[in-house]
Amino acid sequence: MGHHKPQIEDFFLTRRQMLHRCGTGVGALALAGLMSEIGLTTPASADPGAGGDSGVAGPLAPKKPHFPAKAKRVIHIFANGGPSHVDTFDPKPILDKYHGQPLPVQNLRTERKTGAAFRSPFKFQKYGQSGLEVSEIFQKVAQHADDLCVIRSMHADVPNHEPSLLLLNCGDSRLVRPSMGSWVTYGLGSENQNLPGFIVMCPGGYPIQESQNWQSAFLPGVFQGTYIDSQFTDIEKLIEFIRNNYESLTEQRQQLDLLQQLNQKHAEQRAREAQLEARIQSFELAYRMQMDASDAFDVNKEPQHIRDLYGPGTQARQLLIARRLLEKGVRFVQVWHGAGQPWDNHDDLEANHRRLAQQCDQGIAGLLTDLKQRGMLEDTLVIWGGEFGRTPTVELPTPGSNAGKINGRDHNHYGYTTWLAGGGAKGGYVHGATDETGFKAAEKPVHVHDLQATIMALLGFDHTKLTYRYAGRDFRLTDVHGNVVKELIA
């Protein structure tokens, strides 16, 4: 006589499933113990984070990096579209001399035809003890000159938005790869289990390449960025279905527990498919977000003097939200300027760059001030820049590409500027240089992969060892490239 009632699903096991279950069960238990001992997983007794209410470790549980880190969290301020370095943080006086004339060197090949030298319409001034030269359109950010680590010798691979965005965000310009935010949360987890570890804000819609910019690719889906349309102020528009107006939290928990049991049985029949696991985890996270999300995105809970520090407008609000998210334990926050590519000024560069900088100058300066006064800047890495820069020469009329006003600049991947602040980056420091015209990185060039390797080093990782096994190969953010630029680290 049997002691256990037969279960209907047991009659539908294939021979392969039966062998898989019998042969790997004990081995999986042993493997889990070994992985916990060497730090690849977090034991169930670990602290689940600032917002956690369960002793069970999940994929976003906090983890230790390879070595002591200078930065614990990241804000990536993305000036999507490609801001002009020669109009922001890399002055080139020679362009005044040759304005309207051919440059003394041959123009490099660009995506569109360019002509004579085009001087900057903005004045530059030295700031701080470091004497950093900054354009007048970023006067408030310039007040933090001694906190900025300005890389004037960045370079990418091609002068096109789509591949350059993917290269910067995902480490590869063509193939599907996990984004930098996904790698960071995969390596470090999150300090709040009630919010996503990686949040992306872009007001008005998606940038070019849309969600590919924050994809998790072959990493588990829980590490993908969560997109927020930050043009909205109403929490129910920012995050759909954040509130349940029909059931209490207790009733929702009972429903979710039942759903989890059903999903668990479903998953067991399918050998732990990654997409299914991600969907199951997303239900749990959505339930927990009701606790913290409403509070994190409500800037009205900030004192008036803090809101005044950041200033008015969408950019200021999303930067203030970013600080609130990091304060609550979110690991990586990416803040885009707007939908599409707002900094892509092929025409009317003077008016457009001035307008765009005015929208974010006070907000960025306020963020740096706020982080510093809270003691957060020392372990928060702030990154600013675009996917490439712009030419020092004027863009010529091209049907279908511009309005033919001859007052803008084309894309330039040969040399451009990115700056870092806080998180162990060397403040008041200018690294490298473009040539005298601003066309090409000439001194101490820094490729995108080098920047990524350095960011990972600031976060406590050897970028060659933070890997994920997929399709028979160990993948990493920098692929097979990248060197840590030690001069950038304080």
Side-chain angles (χ1 to χ4, degrees):
M1 182 175 179
H3 296 287
H4 303 283
K5 291 183 179 180
Q7 298 184 35
I8 187 68
E9 56 263 33
D10 292 339
F11 292 102
F12 296 97
L13 281 176
T14 65
R15 184 172 64 175
R16 176 173 296 183
Q17 288 174 318
M18 186 271 291
L19 291 172
H20 177 269
R21 290 190 184 187
C22 293
T24 63
V26 176
L29 289 173
L31 177 61
L34 289 171
M35 291 176 72
S36 177
E37 286 181 14
I38 63 176
L40 293 178
T41 63
T42 306
S45 59
D47 180 3
D53 57 3
S54 168
V56 179
L60 285 176
K63 308 178 188 72
K64 293 182 179 180
H66 296 148
F67 48 82
K70 293 179 178 290
K72 292 171 53 180
R73 58 188 85 85
V74 178
I75 292 182
H76 185 189
I77 304 169
F78 212 125
N80 44 316
S84 170
H85 54 297
V86 297
D87 295 303
T88 53
F89 296 94
D90 189 7
K92 294 298 175 183
I94 196 172
L95 298 181
D96 293 323
K97 178 181 178 181
Y98 286 95
H99 180 69
Q101 305 173 44
L103 287 171
V105 295
Q106 184 177 5
N107 290 2
L108 295 178
R109 183 180 180 183
T110 54
E111 187 173 14
R112 300 167 182 81
K113 290 184 179 180
T114 64
F118 184 26
R119 69 184 171 206
S120 176
F122 312 118
K123 294 181 180 179
F124 282 76
Q125 181 179 330
K126 292 184 178 180
Y127 292 87
Q129 294 182 350
S130 59
L132 177 66
E133 290 185 274
V134 181
S135 167
E136 65 182 79
I137 62 175
F138 278 112
Q139 290 183 24
K140 293 178 180 177
V141 171
Q143 301 303 317
H144 293 270
D146 293 334
D147 295 316
L148 303 185
C149 179
V150 180
I151 311 168
R152 286 181 175 164
S153 55
M154 288 294 305
H155 64 102
D157 295 340
V158 293
N160 311 103
H161 292 289
E162 292 83 355
S164 294
L165 282 167
L166 291 182
L167 177 66
L168 180 58
N169 280 306
C170 305
D172 193 288
S173 58
R174 294 173 299 277
L175 302 175
V176 176
R177 295 286 186 269
S179 62
M180 180 160 54
S182 295
W183 280 111
V184 171
T185 49
Y186 164 66
L188 290 177
S190 176
E191 293 181 336
N192 189 328
Q193 302 302 293
N194 291 346
L195 289 169
F198 174 22
I199 292 179
V200 178
M201 289 184 282
C202 185
Y206 288 136
I208 296 297
Q209 292 298 96
E210 301 182 342
S211 61
Q212 290 182 68
N213 290 293
W214 49 87
Q215 66 192 332
S216 61
F218 46 73
L219 287 178
V222 71
F223 300 116
Q224 177 159 308
T226 297
Y227 167 71
I228 303 292
D229 188 345
S230 46
Q231 68 175 321
F232 299 113
T233 56
D234 184 344
I235 184 65
E236 295 195 39
K237 290 183 178 179
L238 275 169
I239 307 172
E240 286 188 289
F241 311 116
I242 189 61
R243 293 196 181 103
N244 187 321
N245 299 317
Y246 305 101
E247 285 100 13
S248 67
L249 286 173
T250 301
E251 292 171 326
Q252 289 179 60
R253 182 70 260 175
Q254 292 172 344
Q255 288 183 344
L256 189 57
D257 288 343
L258 175 60
L259 182 61
Q260 290 288 66
Q261 292 177 24
L262 296 173
N263 283 333
Q264 196 67 28
K265 286 183 175 291
H266 189 68
E268 287 171 358
Q269 295 291 325
R270 285 154 183 81
R272 301 293 181 182
E273 291 184 8
Q275 291 183 344
L276 184 56
E277 287 290 335
R279 179 64 61 88
I280 293 172
Q281 291 160 4
S282 71
F283 290 144
E284 282 290 339
L285 179 58
Y287 170 78
R288 297 195 303 269
M289 280 179 68
Q290 296 177 80
M291 316 292 185
D292 279 8
S294 298
D295 178 67
F297 287 92
D298 187 359
V299 298
N300 291 320
K301 294 188 177 182
E302 291 288 331
Q304 186 63 47
H305 72 276
I306 294 295
R307 284 179 276 164
D308 292 342
L309 175 66
Y310 284 78
T314 301
Q315 299 302 318
R317 188 177 68 254
Q318 66 174 359
L319 287 165
L320 179 51
I321 290 171
R323 189 226 78 206
R324 290 175 62 82
L325 289 170
L326 292 188
E327 208 167 28
K328 284 184 170 292
V330 174
R331 188 68 71 182
F332 197 106
V333 179
Q334 194 171 53
V335 179
W336 296 72
H337 194 103
Q341 43 204 31
W343 285 87
D344 189 27
N345 299 155
H346 294 273
D347 293 297
D348 296 327
L349 181 135
E350 178 179 2
N352 287 324
H353 263 45
R354 190 181 296 278
R355 172 180 54 83
L356 292 163
Q358 187 177 30
Q359 291 173 359
C360 63
D361 184 31
Q362 181 174 346
I364 296 172
L367 172 68
L368 295 175
T369 298
D370 200 13
L371 289 173
K372 182 177 284 189
Q373 67 190 11
R374 292 169 188 271
M376 294 176 63
L377 186 59
E378 62 185 27
D379 57 8
T380 300
L381 180 63
V382 182
I383 308 166
W384 179 91
E387 62 269 35
F388 43 54
R390 308 203 79 81
T391 58
T393 48
V394 71
E395 183 174 331
L396 299 177
T398 306
S401 296
N402 55 36
K405 296 181 179 180
I406 319 182
N407 61 358
R409 305 184 190 275
D410 193 19
H411 310 155
N412 182 17
H413 67 290
Y414 299 111
Y416 63 100
T417 294
T418 292
W419 59 253
L420 312 175
K426 187 184 296 182
Y429 172 66
V430 174
H431 183 85
T434 48
D435 60 32
E436 62 177 353
T437 68
F439 233 132
K440 184 178 181 180
E443 298 177 18
K444 300 179 180 179
V446 177
H447 188 267
V448 172
H449 286 129
D450 301 326
L451 175 65
Q452 292 164 339
T454 306
I455 290 170
M456 300 310 288
L458 289 168
L459 290 163
F461 289 105
D462 179 340
H463 71 106
T464 67
K465 295 180 180 178
L466 182 63
T467 61
Y468 188 85
R469 191 79 174 172
Y470 174 72
R473 176 189 161 190
D474 289 332
F475 284 88
R476 69 188 204 218
L477 171 62
T478 51
D479 195 34
V480 295
H481 312 284
N483 295 294
V484 175
V485 185
K486 295 181 179 178
E487 297 97 318
L488 302 178
I489 300 174

